[in-house]
């Protein structure tokens, strides 16, 4: 409840104008919802700055995320689809950012089928601030839910 109240108050201050609110958060969804401008800081340096939309537009298109059944297939798929653009891999998933991603999916699937690396799942999405963070830092922040789960696990170990 307090998080929702804080969001409400920040939105009220933004609407009234005349005040600058400095919010430090690791919840990128929160930054996307509340920030007029934001800075991404990595190891004490600002590595990206702008409105949430400006930063997401820098990704260069939509994200095509492909998941595979095993690591060998993921590796084969990565080398196969690298001709479409820069491939980012993590946890059995490969992601490509393409300007016209929706129209490229059939060709990507044909190439993967031809290489014997059919995807188990395909997802097309607009870039998120998580994608921006990964691009500018090379690391992915854990989600708010993951952070809460890690905190709960840490607390249980302390007991």
């Amino acid at each position: 409840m307090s998080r929702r109240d804080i969001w409400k108050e920040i939105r009220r201050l933004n609407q009234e104008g005349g005040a600058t609110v400095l919010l430090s958060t690791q919840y990128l969804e929160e930054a996307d919802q509340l920030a007029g401008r934001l800075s991404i800081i990595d190891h004490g340096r600002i590595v990206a700055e702008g409105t949430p939309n400006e930063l997401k537009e820098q990704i260069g298109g939509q994200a095509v995320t492909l998941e595979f059944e095993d690591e060998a297939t993921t590796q084969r798929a990565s080398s196969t689809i690298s001709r479409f653009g820069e491939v980012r891999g993590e946890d059995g998933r490969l992601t490509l950012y393409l300007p016209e991603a929706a129209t490229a999916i059939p060709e990507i699937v044909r190439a993967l089928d031809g290489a014997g690396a059919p995807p188990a799942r395909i997802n097309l999405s607009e870039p998120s601030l998580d994608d921006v963070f990964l691009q500018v830092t090379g690391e992915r922040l854990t989600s708010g839910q993951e952070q809460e789960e890690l905190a709960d696990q840490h607390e249980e170990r302390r007991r």
Side-chain angles (χ1 to χ4, degrees):
M1 180 135 175
S2 63
R3 183 176 181 206
R4 188 176 69 223
D5 291 340
I6 290 170
W7 280 34
K8 184 177 175 182
E9 183 63 15
I10 291 171
R11 284 191 177 105
R12 185 188 67 74
L13 289 169
N14 280 338
Q15 289 172 350
E16 287 179 1
T20 297
V21 177
L22 179 61
L23 174 67
S24 174
T25 183
Q26 290 184 338
Y27 296 104
L28 294 176
E29 173 197 2
E30 186 171 65
D32 200 5
Q33 292 291 316
L34 300 174
R37 292 190 55 75
L38 63 97
S39 298
I40 296 175
I41 300 172
D42 185 32
H43 296 94
R45 291 183 321 116
I46 295 175
V47 294
E49 194 169 18
T51 68
N53 285 338
E54 287 170 349
L55 293 173
K56 289 184 274 187
E57 287 170 4
Q58 291 176 9
I59 292 289
Q62 297 170 309
V64 177
T65 304
L66 305 140
E67 294 183 39
F68 301 89
E69 294 296 331
D70 56 58
E71 187 58 34
T73 306
T74 304
Q75 291 297 321
R76 201 165 46 254
S78 181
S79 63
T80 301
I81 63 173
S82 63
R83 68 183 170 103
F84 292 95
E86 181 184 353
V87 179
R88 295 230 179 223
E90 171 180 65
D91 300 329
R93 288 183 304 228
L94 300 176
T95 303
L96 284 164
Y97 298 97
L98 303 170
E100 310 238 346
T103 59
I105 289 175
E107 189 177 348
I108 292 168
V109 170
R110 280 192 294 274
L112 290 169
D113 282 343
R121 280 172 287 297
I122 300 173
N123 184 44
L124 176 66
S125 62
E126 294 298 320
S128 67
L129 287 179
D130 285 313
D131 296 320
V132 173
F133 188 89
L134 177 61
Q135 184 181 53
V136 298
T137 67
E139 300 175 30
R140 183 170 294 281
L141 271 181
T142 57
S143 70
Q145 181 178 352
E146 290 170 318
Q147 289 176 359
E148 290 171 13
E149 289 170 3
L150 289 171
D152 290 344
Q153 291 170 3
H154 179 71
E155 185 62 31
E156 286 178 20
R157 283 192 298 261
R158 287 183 47 203
R159 290 183 201 159

